[in-house]
Amino acid sequence: MNIHTLLFVSLLIFSLTESSRGRNKDRLFTELQNSIEVTAKPVKDSGVLEGGKDMVTITWKLKSSTKVDMDAAFKTIQIKLCYAPISQVDRPWRKSDNKLSKDNSCPHEIVSKPYDMTPQSLDWTVELDIPSGTYFVRAYGIDGDGREVAYGQSTDEGRTTNLFSVQAISGHHVALDIASIFFSVFSVVSVFVIFVMEKRKAKVEQRRDTHAMSTPMEIAEQNPMVEDTIPIPLPNASMEVSHQNPIEATTIPEQIAVAEPVATPNPPPCLHENKFLVSVEVCLKPSSTARLEDVQRAVERMLETRSMSYADGLVLIPADDLFLVENVQRICICDTEEWVKNNDVLLFWQVKPVVHAFQLFEEGPCEDLCTDGQPASFNEWILPAKEFDGLWESLIYESGLKQRLLRYAASALLFTQKGVNPNLVSWNRIILLHGPPGTGKTSLCKALAQKLSIRCNSRYPHCQLIEVNAHSLFSKWFSESGKLVAKLFQKIQEMVEEDGNLVFVLIDEVESLAAARKAALSGSEPSDSIRVVNALLTQMDKLKSAPNVIILTTSNITTAIDVAFVDRADIKAYVGPPTLHVRYEILRSCVEELISKGIISSFQGCDELSIPSFSSLKEKANESEVHDSNTVPWFCKQLIEAAKGCEGLSGRSLRKLPFLAHAALADPYSHDPSNFLCTMIETAKREKSEQPE
């Protein structure tokens, strides 16, 4: 027992002795002599220094007023990089402070070398592993025993002058550690949430499959007269693709109802390195002079540094990114509905963003100048045009029509770019949209051209939209109309000869130029129309060899189109009257616009300007009737009631309905949203009753 006590006392005395030696060896900062003159001048005159790239010239020498005792003079010079702000750890020096060698304000050593009496200089490249911040340079004089005996620094004692800022590329920082902890917790929680949601979806799908096995498979909307059931196709049976209104599709002649394979309900997603490709559109300010490539790279870096989820809508521009703030008007995520369902979102590790930077052209359409007194044969827009900005997002359809058109155009341009033999695999780059008036066919063609000009600007920096004025191609002189058609397409041929120019040709109401030739032979149409159809088909066959042209056509009278033209169209998509889902979404977007402009007040219990979508309401109601569920807000029920009252109205009429409802108010300056919705329901019923039979 005595031996253990003796050993313990000896060890305690030894530790106290060593600690006393350390304290005697260490020097307080206030005991050091300020005898070294230090300057630090960045090579870059202004701005923030970039880590790993910019340089700083550091010079040090002994002050002329200092007397050096050669026996006590320091033998080594040590240059360190110090934080400029005086924090709680690095407060003004007092005798009670820690020893100088553990000074937390100067953690980054630049160089340590033997001291020379003559002035010395060093060109130092800013390190990569320091945090971003403001710094100055300090030099320590160290004697032969390794103790600090003198110092000097490039700033004053208050650390307010001769400072320089550094933007580090990477580095260790306490904030990064905290962020990594939160990220780890977020990852675990996200994985758990995804697991629960997938399990819930599996149960819902299992219930649906069980229900489908016990009942006939059909798809029906609220009114079976508008949307009939869709039977299951039998093997080897002729199949058709129609959109939104099969009753109207049955009136299309045989040449329109071309047999096409029915798309699978859930096609496998296109992945890139096991990630979803999501388009991010970046619109530059009109005053911006930055290159599109520079803006694209800046946005890509911004997205990489932000752990954000991806859902359709705007992305906030970071206020500290001066380049983006100065040049970018908005950043928008698009078309995520192709990958997600039930209002889900894509998490950042699931996504590979594809950034498209563009600048809108503010010039309006230019007419073709004719010297022979004829009206202009076409109007021309330079794309992307300000006139069509936001048009794509305002068009609402079901059945994935917009995504189908985008994928078709991408495939048509890809086949041409890869040099696929057109004699083996044929495609004409012709789209035909047909259906009743007011369903947005022409607007969809213009919006598609605008969208493709943004998505393809890396391959085609110049894009044009040519809208053909069909009425200007008919002449009172016999056989002259065919010559006018050939003359028009000759001008288009000159446009497409430029390799970097992508041309979209829009022919609205194409039946006026491609009228069925059987009617002309029977005598019900002028015989000159045959020459117009022949000229149109011939010129389209010539454009087939051009890789940078897409022809967009629309028709309201499908029975009047010539069979040969229909056969040349790659896509023949039917655009019918809007369903209940679409009608609700159209009215919802209109009401949100009125709220944002202050014409009506926001609804109580509604998240600012956002009104729940139709699919989210169905999810809240657990697949039950939306208008009967207690979980659906009252204003959504009224909006659904208004959408039901608009059955049979076109999309054009639906867009006018909020204006007509506001015009019917007794007090146009009233902001009461409930009164407005009730008036809109009454207006919808009146508009439907006044529709011609």
Side-chain angles (χ1 to χ4, degrees):
M1 187 69 180
N2 293 333
I3 296 176
H4 288 287
T5 303
L6 181 61
L7 290 175
F8 175 78
V9 173
S10 301
L11 181 61
L12 181 61
I13 295 174
F14 178 78
S15 62
L16 292 175
T17 304
E18 289 300 314
S19 177
S20 176
R21 289 181 182 178
R23 285 194 299 269
N24 292 334
K25 180 179 178 180
D26 295 331
R27 302 287 299 276
L28 298 179
F29 191 88
T30 52
E31 298 176 5
L32 300 185
Q33 182 180 6
N34 188 354
S35 58
I36 303 175
E37 182 177 333
V38 182
T39 60
K41 182 178 180 181
V43 176
K44 187 176 181 180
D45 293 336
S46 61
V48 180
L49 304 184
E50 185 176 349
K53 178 179 179 182
D54 294 321
M55 300 183 65
V56 178
T57 300
I58 303 173
T59 305
W60 66 90
K61 64 180 180 179
L62 193 66
K63 291 184 178 180
S64 58
S65 59
T66 303
K67 296 181 179 180
V68 180
D69 184 0
M70 296 306 296
D71 294 334
F74 48 88
K75 307 298 182 183
T76 304
I77 191 75
Q78 188 179 63
I79 308 298
K80 287 189 175 185
L81 186 67
C82 308
Y83 296 124
I86 301 177
S87 63
Q88 182 64 23
V89 176
D90 186 28
R91 56 189 180 274
W93 305 293
R94 298 191 298 269
K95 290 186 178 182
S96 60
D97 286 342
N98 291 334
K99 58 185 180 180
L100 183 62
S101 59
K102 294 189 179 298
D103 185 2
N104 290 301
S105 66
C106 298
H108 307 289
E109 182 177 347
I110 299 175
V111 68
S112 182
K113 58 190 299 185
Y115 177 73
D116 191 352
M117 295 292 291
T118 60
Q120 299 183 52
S121 178
L122 168 69
D123 288 333
W124 171 70
T125 303
V126 180
E127 298 292 343
L128 298 178
D129 58 349
I130 61 175
S132 300
T134 306
Y135 295 91
F136 67 94
V137 174
R138 182 183 294 165
Y140 294 109
I142 302 176
D143 62 9
D145 295 332
R147 298 181 303 174
E148 298 90 348
V149 295
Y151 84 98
Q153 58 188 25
S154 61
T155 183
D156 56 0
E157 291 187 0
R159 310 183 193 183
T160 59
T161 61
N162 301 325
L163 307 175
F164 56 90
S165 300
V166 176
Q167 179 65 45
I169 296 179
S170 62
H172 181 75
H173 200 272
V174 176
L176 296 180
D177 295 337
I178 298 174
S180 63
I181 295 174
F182 278 102
F183 175 75
S184 301
V185 175
F186 174 76
S187 301
V188 174
V189 174
S190 299
V191 171
F192 176 76
V193 171
I194 292 174
F195 173 78
V196 173
M197 294 177 66
E198 290 297 329
K199 190 173 181 181
R200 179 183 175 185
K201 288 181 181 178
K203 291 182 178 179
V204 173
E205 292 177 359
Q206 184 178 6
R207 290 198 301 267
R208 289 178 178 175
D209 293 340
T210 304
H211 178 72
M213 293 177 63
S214 59
T215 58
M217 182 178 294
E218 62 180 20
I219 300 175
E221 274 292 337
Q222 300 294 329
N223 192 337
M225 294 301 295
V226 178
E227 298 187 38
D228 205 353
T229 58
I230 302 177
I232 304 175
L234 298 176
N236 301 325
S238 175
M239 294 178 288
E240 300 178 359
V241 174
S242 61
H243 290 270
Q244 301 185 21
N245 198 333
I247 289 295
E248 292 289 341
T250 56
T251 62
I252 302 175
E254 183 179 357
Q255 63 268 26
I256 297 291
V258 178
E260 295 183 9
V262 177
T264 56
N266 297 315
C270 296
L271 299 179
H272 179 80
E273 299 176 355
N274 296 326
K275 292 187 177 182
F276 298 105
L277 297 178
V278 173
S279 296
V280 180
E281 296 182 359
V282 182
C283 181
L284 274 65
K285 294 181 178 179
S287 59
S288 173
T289 58
R291 296 193 310 165
L292 298 182
E293 296 81 0
D294 296 337
V295 175
Q296 179 177 335
R297 286 193 291 267
V299 173
E300 289 174 349
R301 289 195 298 268
M302 184 270 291
L303 294 175
E304 289 177 358
T305 57
R306 300 177 65 184
S307 301
M308 55 177 286
S309 59
Y310 283 76
D312 283 359
L314 297 176
V315 176
L316 294 179
I317 302 175
D320 57 348
D321 195 327
L322 300 181
F323 178 77
L324 294 181
V325 171
E326 181 180 356
N327 293 282
V328 174
Q329 180 173 325
R330 69 173 183 269
I331 302 175
C332 186
I333 298 175
C334 307
D335 306 328
T336 58
E337 69 271 9
E338 185 176 4
W339 314 116
V340 300
K341 295 181 179 179
N342 300 328
N343 294 324
D344 294 340
V345 295
L346 294 172
L347 302 178
F348 63 92
W349 63 75
Q350 300 174 290
V351 171
K352 178 177 176 57
V354 182
V355 180
H356 306 279
F358 64 96
Q359 196 167 25
L360 296 172
F361 291 90
E362 299 187 0
E363 295 82 2
C366 301
E367 290 188 349
D368 176 39
L369 299 178
C370 298
T371 58
D372 53 1
Q374 290 286 339
S377 57
F378 63 85
N379 295 329
E380 176 186 1
W381 284 269
I382 305 298
L383 300 179
K386 185 178 180 180
E387 182 176 343
F388 305 141
D389 187 32
L391 182 59
W392 178 267
E393 290 73 20
S394 67
L395 298 173
I396 304 174
Y397 299 99
E398 286 188 345
S399 305
L401 175 60
K402 296 199 294 184
Q403 289 300 328
R404 180 189 175 196
L405 295 177
L406 280 178
R407 289 194 294 265
Y408 159 78
S411 297
L413 296 175
L414 177 64
F415 274 44
T416 303
Q417 181 180 355
K418 295 297 184 180
V420 177
N421 189 343
N423 297 321
L424 300 178
V425 181
S426 178
W427 70 101
N428 298 311
R429 293 185 297 279
I430 299 177
I431 298 174
L432 172 61
L433 303 181
H434 59 93
T439 53
K441 299 182 296 296
T442 305
S443 298
L444 181 57
C445 289
K446 294 179 179 179
L448 177 62
Q450 174 95 340
K451 184 66 66 172
L452 292 176
S453 68
I454 296 173
R455 301 287 175 89
C456 303
N457 61 356
S458 59
R459 172 64 181 88
Y460 299 101
H462 305 288
C463 297
Q464 297 170 271
L465 172 62
I466 306 299
E467 184 178 20
V468 176
N469 298 327
H471 65 277
S472 67
L473 301 178
F474 290 93
S475 174
K476 64 181 180 180
W477 306 108
F478 185 75
S479 76
E480 187 68 21
S481 300
K483 295 179 181 179
L484 293 177
V485 172
K487 184 179 178 180
L488 167 64
F489 277 86
Q490 181 61 35
K491 296 179 181 179
I492 297 175
Q493 186 70 41
E494 295 174 358
M495 297 177 185
V496 302
E497 288 178 356
E498 300 181 11
D499 183 60
N501 194 21
L502 181 59
V503 179
F504 301 93
V505 180
L506 171 59
I507 306 177
D508 198 12
E509 298 180 359
V510 71
E511 66 271 5
S512 60
L513 295 179
R517 285 172 286 188
K518 288 183 179 180
L521 294 176
S522 64
S524 60
E525 290 290 341
S527 59
D528 195 34
S529 64
I530 297 179
R531 290 179 171 82
V532 174
V533 178
N534 293 339
L536 178 65
L537 298 178
T538 302
Q539 297 301 324
M540 284 187 171
D541 290 340
K542 289 182 180 180
L543 282 180
K544 182 180 177 180
S545 60
N548 53 337
V549 60
I550 295 179
I551 299 177
L552 310 169
T553 63
T554 68
S555 176
N556 297 332
I557 311 174
T558 55
T559 56
I561 304 178
D562 190 80
V563 180
F565 177 84
V566 174
D567 188 56
R568 282 169 169 79
D570 297 329
I571 283 188
K572 299 165 278 289
Y574 176 76
V575 185
T579 60
L580 175 63
H581 180 183
V582 176
R583 295 196 298 270
Y584 174 86
E585 293 297 334
I586 291 176
L587 294 179
R588 180 174 74 96
S589 63
C590 294
V591 172
E592 288 180 346
E593 174 67 13
L594 296 181
I595 294 176
S596 65
K597 296 302 185 290
I599 295 180
I600 61 175
S601 303
S602 59
F603 301 104
Q604 185 177 2
C606 182
D607 184 13
E608 296 181 356
L609 304 179
S610 178
I611 300 176
S613 64
F614 192 82
S615 57
S616 64
L617 292 178
K618 291 190 68 174
E619 186 178 359
K620 288 182 179 179
N622 295 323
E623 306 297 332
S624 64
E625 289 293 335
V626 177
H627 57 280
D628 294 333
S629 175
N630 295 327
T631 61
V632 176
W634 63 269
F635 53 86
C636 291
K637 292 182 180 179
Q638 284 190 296
L639 203 58
I640 292 173
E641 188 68 25
K644 287 183 177 180
C646 298
E647 183 178 346
L649 298 182
S650 65
R652 183 186 296 129
S653 300
L654 284 172
R655 291 290 180 187
K656 291 189 296 184
L657 184 62
F659 169 77
L660 297 176
H662 189 271
L665 291 174
D667 181 8
Y669 298 100
S670 173
H671 300 281
D672 183 12
S674 177
N675 186 26
F676 174 79
L677 287 181
C678 293
T679 306
M680 189 164 65
I681 294 174
E682 297 174 359
T683 305
K685 295 178 180 178
R686 184 181 69 249
E687 287 294 310
K688 183 179 178 180
S689 63
E690 294 176 353
Q691 288 289 318
E693 295 296 335

